[in-house]
């Protein structure tokens, strides 16, 4: 991808980009709070979370299978049993919290699953490779 040295992409500024004018043999390792905040607040990430949630929900009516589909799509692995329980608890709590916000149950359901998908996309496992 072509990137102008004098016009670095602003959406990547939270990820500690090099300045573009100096040569470095190795990038510094850094973890900044702005990285996580970017993933929680960026409209593109929110939109992609919604798209992922819609695909996961279309995978069937079994919530455990939906969690499995989300993990397979994001991490290319199956979730651990505890992760399934945590995910289902998160979705249920979020749906309950949205009762005063969305009057339609289906809208609450999709929004809750989108929030869950966004937590996967913003997780350390997604951001870092071992």
């Amino acid at each position: 991808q072509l990137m102008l040295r004098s016009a670095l992409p602003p959406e990547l500024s939270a990820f500690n980009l090099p300045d573009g004018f100096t040569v470095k043999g190795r990038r510094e390792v850094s973890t900044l709070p702005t990285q996580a905040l970017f993933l929680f607040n960026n409209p593109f990430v929110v939109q992609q979370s919604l798209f992922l949630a819609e695909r996961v929900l279309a995978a069937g009516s079994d919530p455990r299978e939906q969690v499995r589909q989300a993990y397979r799509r994001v991490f290319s692995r199956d979730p651990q049993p505890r992760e399934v329980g945590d995910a289902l608890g998160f979705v249920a709590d979020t749906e309950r919290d949205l009762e005063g916000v969305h009057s339609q149950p289906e809208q609450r359901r999709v929004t809750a699953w989108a929030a869950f998908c966004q937590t996967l996309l913003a997780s350390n496992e997604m951001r870092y490779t071992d």
Side-chain angles (χ1 to χ4, degrees), residues 2-84:
L2 178 64
M3 182 167 50
L4 299 174
R5 290 176 183 240
S6 61
L8 298 174
E11 56 274 352
L12 296 179
S13 63
F15 295 92
N16 199 21
L17 285 177
D19 66 14
F21 294 106
T22 57
V23 176
K24 269 196 162 178
R26 172 177 266 163
R27 288 218 30 220
E28 295 174 17
V29 176
S30 65
T31 304
L32 304 171
T34 52
Q35 295 171 357
L37 292 172
F38 174 85
L39 294 171
F40 280 116
N41 296 317
N42 183 272
F44 177 76
V45 177
V46 172
Q47 180 187 41
Q48 295 307 306
S49 300
L50 180 59
F51 291 153
L52 176 59
E54 289 169 348
R55 293 185 82 167
V56 164
L57 290 171
S61 60
D62 177 21
R64 292 184 176 281
E65 178 59 23
Q66 292 165 336
V67 171
R68 185 178 139 337
Q69 285 295 318
Y71 270 79
R72 299 275 313 155
R73 289 180 183 274
V74 176
F75 302 134
S76 297
R77 69 171 177 85
D78 287 332
Q80 299 296 318
R82 180 175 178 203
E83 291 171 323
V84 173

Side-chain angles (χ1 to χ4, degrees), residues 85-118:
D86 290 346
L88 295 175
F90 175 84
V91 169
D93 290 346
T94 304
E95 278 189 73
R96 209 173 15 261
D97 291 344
L98 290 170
E99 285 179 2
V101 178
H102 298 300
S103 60
Q104 300 295 323
E106 184 60 22
Q107 192 174 15
R108 284 194 302 267
R109 180 174 172 251
V110 171
T111 303
W113 278 92
F116 165 66
C117 289
Q118 189 174 0

